[in-house]
Amino acid sequence: MALSVPKAPGVSQMLKEGARMYTGLEEAIYRNIDACKEFAQTMRSAYGPNGMNKMIINHIDKQFVTSDAGTIMRELDVEHPAARLMVMASEMQDAEVGDGTNFVVIFAGALLEKAEELLRLGITTGEIADGYEKALAKALEVLPKLVCHEIRDCRNVEKVKECLKASIMSKQYGQEDFLTDLVAKACVAILPDNATFNVDNIRVCKIVGCGLTKSEVVHGMVFKRFVEGDVTYAENAKIVIFSCPLDIIQTETKGTVLIKTADELLNFSAGEENLLEAQIKAIADAGVKVVVAGGKVGDMALHYLNKYGLVAVRLNSKFDIRRLSRAVNATVLPRITTPTQEELGQCDKVCIEELGDTTIVAFRNEGKNSRISTIVIRGATDNYLDDIERAIDDGVNNFKALSTDGRYLPGAGATEIELATQIASFADTLPGLEQYAVRRFATALEVLPKALADNSGLNGTEAVNLLYLAHREASGKNVGVNIEAEKPKTMDVTESADDEKPKIYDLYQCKHWSLKYAVEAAVTILKVEQIIRAKRAGGPTAPQAAGSDDEN
C-alpha cells in the first residue's frame, strides 16, 4: 500500500500539487525588488538622446533595433509579475501622453532600490509607501511652480518646433531639426478649429531608398500601390468610395438559369455587361473622376472604367478606407450604387508617383480642406525607417498634449534636481519615520539626470553635484546637464545662445503623469507580501516525495 504524505498545514494545504508560495521579506519583497532593479537598469542605458539602442528578436523572429522603451518592453514579453507591473504603468503612460515611458520604469526602479535600503534598516513597507505618497503629493504641488514656458498659439509653426525638438531629439539625436520641421508642419496643417487633435490623422508612409532628407509632408494620403486601370491622373476630382468589390453583382440567393441556344447565352452575357456599364456610366455622369474599391476590380468593370476615363484604386484595408473617407470627406458606400453629391469626396489631385523603385498613389489636398497629413519618410533600411517612425510618433503625441495643455518644464534633468532639492527640504519638516522614505524619494530623482550624463560619456556623480550647486541659487532652477560638453558641465536650458544649442523643454503633462504612474507602480510592488503561483493546467508537476507513488 502506498505511503500517503500529508501536506503542511496552512495555505499550501488548500492549493493544487505543484503550486508555489513565497512569503515575507526575503522570499517575496526582496525577490520582487531585485527583478525590478534589473529591469530598470536594462532600460536606463537607453535613456536620453545618447541612449544606446537595443537589438530585440521577438518570438516570431522579427528584429527590432531601437532605444524606444515602449517598443522594447512590448517585444520583450516580460514574465516576472512584479516587473510586469512596471511595464503596465509604462503602457498607461504611453496611452495617456504617448511619451515618457522610459522615465516611468527608471524612476520606479530607483524608488524600489532606495526602498530596499530602508527595509534593511528595519522600516516597514507601509511606512515607506506612505512616505513615497507624501513625497509624490509634494512633487505634484511643486511642479506647476517650475513651469518655464507656455504655448498659447498652437498654429505658430516656429513656436511648436521649439517645444517639440527635445522629444524628437531623445530618439533621433542629430536629425531633430529636420524631423521637427516635418512633424510641426504636418500637425499644424490639420489642427481642427474646435475639435480635439486626433493622432490617427497623421499617417507615416515608409519607403526604402535615398536618404532621410528626401522625406516630405503630403497633405492628404499616400498608398504604396498602383492604380488598377490605364487612367493615372485626376485633378480637382470628385471621389466615390465603395467598401465592396467593383465587379458584376452576385445574386444574394442561388438560382438556375436554363439556356437552350447560343443566342440566349450571348443575350445573358450582354445583359450582365450592359447592367455593369450602366452602373459605371451613372457614376461617371455624377461627376466622379476617381473610384476607390474595398475589394477586387473585375476585368469587365476595369474595361468600362477606362472607357469613361475614371481612375480606379483598390484598397485592401478597411482602416485605410475609413481614413481616406475622412481625408476626402466622403461617405463609404456598401454596394455599387450611383452616389449622391453629399456622398462624394473632393480631392485636389490624385496621381501616381515614383519614389525610387516604389510606385505610390497620392491623394493630395493642398487647401485648408485637408483633414489628414502623411509624412513620407525615406531611409536605407526597414529598421531605420521604423525607428524614425517612432520618433515621429513621439513628436505627434507631444503636439496632441500641447494642444490641450501648452505648459512646459525645463528639461535635461533640471526639473528632477529642483524637485529633489525641494522634497529633501520638505523631508526635514516631517516628524515620523516617513521622512526617511521622503528623503529617499528625493535621492531617487537624481537617477534620471545621472543616467543622462552617464549615457553621454560624462561622470554622472560629478554632473549631479554641479546641478545641485547651481540649483541652490535663486536663478538656477532651469539649469540642466550639458550633454554636448566634454567634461561635466551645466547650462540654462531655457536660454539659447545660438541656433546650434536648442532650448530643451519637457512637457508638463508628461512629467506629471510619469511621476504618478512610477510611484503607484513602486508602492504596489512594495505592498506585495506574498507571491502565490498556482499550478498551470497541463504544466510540469512538482516532483513527488519518495514513496508517494500509487504502486501497491
Side-chain angles (χ1 to χ4, degrees):
M1 187 174 178
L3 176 64
S4 176
V5 179
K7 290 184 181 178
V11 177
S12 59
Q13 195 174 23
M14 297 182 259
L15 303 176
K16 278 184 179 181
E17 282 286 345
R20 286 175 292 172
M21 179 176 171
Y22 306 98
T23 184
L25 275 177
E26 292 294 338
E27 282 194 339
I29 298 175
Y30 288 153
R31 186 184 290 241
N32 285 343
I33 289 174
D34 285 342
C36 294
K37 276 164 51 180
E38 290 291 333
F39 184 58
Q41 283 167 6
T42 303
M43 305 304 298
R44 194 178 300 172
S45 60
Y47 184 65
N50 291 317
M52 300 295 287
N53 285 344
K54 311 283 183 190
M55 181 182 286
I56 297 166
I57 297 132
N58 67 5
H59 61 286
I60 56 172
D61 286 338
K62 186 176 180 183
Q63 182 176 299
F64 297 83
V65 180
T66 181
S67 63
D68 180 59
T71 305
I72 294 168
M73 286 182 281
R74 192 162 47 248
E75 301 303 330
L76 274 181
D77 196 17
V78 177
E79 187 175 338
H80 194 282
R84 207 181 300 156
L85 286 172
M86 293 170 68
V87 173
M88 289 165 66
S90 183
E91 286 172 352
M92 282 306 303
Q93 170 73 10
D94 193 32
E96 189 73 44
V97 184
D99 198 6
T101 50
N102 209 347
F103 183 105
V104 174
V105 174
I106 293 172
F107 186 47
L111 288 174
L112 291 170
E113 191 174 342
K114 302 302 176 187
E116 185 179 9
E117 297 172 7
L118 294 175
L119 286 169
R120 296 193 186 280
L121 292 174
I123 298 175
T124 63
T125 53
E127 289 163 343
I128 296 170
D130 289 344
Y132 281 173
E133 285 168 355
K134 282 185 179 179
L136 173 64
K138 179 65 177 176
L140 297 181
E141 179 190 324
V142 171
L143 213 56
K145 300 172 186 176
L146 304 182
V147 171
C148 62
H149 184 69
E150 188 170 0
I151 288 187
R152 300 187 184 278
D153 181 13
C154 296
R155 298 184 186 277
N156 187 328
V157 176
E158 292 303 318
K159 293 285 185 185
V160 168
K161 282 166 63 177
E162 189 177 64
C163 292
L164 294 185
K165 194 169 286 186
S167 67
I168 293 176
M169 188 192 298
S170 67
K171 296 289 185 297
Q172 287 295 323
Y173 190 39
Q175 306 288 354
E176 66 274 2
D177 291 324
F178 181 72
L179 288 175
T180 303
D181 187 54
L182 289 180
V183 172
K185 286 178 180 176
C187 293
V188 170
I190 64 162
L191 181 63
D193 293 328
N194 299 320
T196 56
F197 178 82
N198 186 359
V199 174
D200 193 53
N201 288 344
I202 302 292
R203 308 306 303 160
V204 175
C205 181
K206 298 173 285 188
I207 298 177
V208 177
C210 208
L212 182 63
T213 53
K214 294 297 181 182
S215 304
E216 61 171 329
V217 175
V218 174
H219 299 305
M221 291 203 71
V222 171
F223 301 100
K224 288 194 284 185
R225 303 192 63 81
F226 197 81
V227 294
E228 297 294 310
D230 298 333
V231 186
T232 60
Y233 183 85
E235 196 167 346
N236 195 18
K238 288 185 178 178
I239 301 173
V240 62
I241 302 176
F242 297 110
S243 60
C244 60
L246 199 63
D247 202 356
I248 293 170
I249 299 175
Q250 301 292 324
T251 56
E252 293 182 2
T253 57
K254 291 182 179 179
T256 303
V257 178
L258 186 63
I259 296 173
K260 295 181 179 179
T261 65
D263 290 336
E264 287 179 356
L265 178 61
L266 290 172
N267 291 335
F268 179 77
S269 300
E272 279 190 326
E273 292 168 12
N274 292 338
L275 177 62
L276 184 61
E277 182 179 10
Q279 288 173 330
I280 292 176
K281 184 177 184 302
I283 291 170
D285 291 342
V288 174
K289 291 185 180 179
V290 180
V291 178
V292 178
K296 71 169 187 174
V297 179
D299 292 339
M300 190 59 65
L302 202 56
H303 165 70
Y304 291 121
L305 288 168
N306 290 333
K307 178 180 177 180
Y308 291 104
L310 301 180
V311 179
V313 180
R314 175 185 174 185
L315 297 178
N316 294 325
S317 169
K318 64 181 180 180
F319 301 106
D320 283 344
I321 288 175
R322 288 176 190 169
R323 292 183 187 110
L324 181 60
S325 69
R326 199 161 65 233
V328 299
N329 197 22
T331 303
V332 181
L333 302 177
R335 57 192 299 270
I336 302 172
T337 55
T338 305
T340 63
Q341 292 301 313
E342 290 78 16
E343 291 170 336
L344 294 177
Q346 180 71 30
C347 190
D348 292 344
K349 185 164 50 171
V350 178
C351 58
I352 64 167
E353 299 172 9
E354 285 193 5
L355 295 176
D357 60 350
T358 305
T359 304
I360 63 169
V361 179
F363 291 78
R364 293 179 179 270
N365 259 331
E366 302 298 341
K368 292 185 178 179
N369 297 327
S370 179
R371 297 185 176 188
I372 290 184
S373 288
T374 302
I375 301 175
V376 180
I377 54 175
R378 310 294 308 279
T381 65
D382 288 324
N383 279 320
Y384 179 68
L385 290 176
D386 290 342
D387 218 25
I388 296 291
E389 183 183 11
R390 292 179 198 111
I392 289 173
D393 183 60
D394 279 359
V396 172
N397 278 290
N398 268 263
F399 182 85
K400 178 189 176 182
L402 74 86
S403 66
T404 57
D405 185 351
R407 291 178 293 174
Y408 277 83
L409 300 164
T415 301
E416 288 84 352
I417 293 297
E418 184 62 27
L419 283 175
T421 304
Q422 297 203 29
I423 290 170
S425 301
F426 169 66
D428 295 335
T429 65
L430 296 175
L433 289 174
E434 292 96 344
Q435 63 175 298
Y436 297 103
V438 173
R439 198 169 283 110
R440 287 296 196 282
F441 185 99
T443 312
L445 283 165
E446 298 172 7
V447 170
L448 296 143
K450 189 174 185 294
L452 272 179
D454 287 338
N455 293 341
S456 302
L458 305 174
N459 185 323
T461 306
E462 192 176 338
V464 169
N465 290 339
L466 288 173
L467 285 175
Y468 271 121
L469 197 61
H471 279 256
R472 284 176 187 168
E473 300 175 8
S475 60
K477 69 174 186 177
N478 296 331
V479 173
V481 181
N482 184 354
I483 60 171
E484 294 181 353
E486 292 183 5
K487 293 182 179 180
K489 192 177 177 183
T490 60
M491 58 180 277
D492 191 325
V493 296
T494 60
E495 294 179 2
S496 180
D498 50 39
D499 294 334
E500 294 180 1
K501 290 184 180 179
K503 298 175 183 177
I504 303 169
Y505 296 124
D506 281 349
L507 191 64
Y508 174 84
Q509 283 191 50
C510 181
K511 203 71 75 178
H512 177 271
W513 289 107
S514 295
L515 288 167
K516 286 190 75 170
Y517 288 136
V519 173
E520 284 175 14
V523 166
T524 304
I525 292 164
L526 280 175
K527 287 184 176 179
V528 173
E529 186 199 8
Q530 291 183 342
I531 305 170
I532 304 170
R533 174 164 284 188
K535 177 196 166 191
R536 294 182 181 177
T541 57
Q544 292 181 330
S548 63
D549 51 354
D550 292 332
E551 294 178 3
N552 292 324

